[in-house]
Amino acid sequence: MKFDISVPLYGLSLASFKIFSPDTNRQEALTSIIADRLQNQGRPITATSASDLRDYLVVTSGDATLPVRLDLPWVGRELFEQRKAMIAQHLGQEISDAQAVTVLLIDYVIEHAAVSLVDAIETK
């Protein structure tokens, strides 16, 4: 799957890399992060309010000029389409592949931040 992303979405991708790579002890591509999010059985995406997710989509929108390729296996592509439909239903609007990726990355960052906060509180 190929699509173009905006500079702000690229920045979100980089932030996700910084979180994901130390967890896996290797440099990860966007495909690996998205594949991980598709398999996530933890915190549901719908845990974040639709209005907050729409706000994030506005912030990460812009001229989509950076080409990205997600090399998901067939099963991953099916999961992506299912998750994309679930996100679209939660938002109450149709979304592009890039917007679905945005929500998956935002979900990852939010989940990681929540875990980090709980860890910080528990160590005090």
Side-chain angles (χ1 to χ4, degrees), residues 2 4 9 22 25 28 32 46 48 56-57 68 73-74 80 82 87-88 95-96 102 104 108 112 114-115:
K2 289 175 159 178
D4 292 337
L9 178 50
N25 294 319
E28 293 294 335
S32 296
T46 55
T48 303
Y56 290 128
L57 289 175
V68 167
W74 175 249
F80 181 83
Q82 290 170 2
I87 294 166
I95 59 171
S96 67
T102 300
L104 291 170
Y108 180 70
H112 190 271
V115 169

Side-chain angles (χ1 to χ4, degrees), residues 77-89:
R77 180 64 187 184
E78 284 183 28
L79 283 171
F80 181 83
E81 290 300 327
Q82 290 170 2
R83 193 63 55 95
K84 180 180 168 184
M86 183 186 75
I87 294 166
Q89 181 179 16

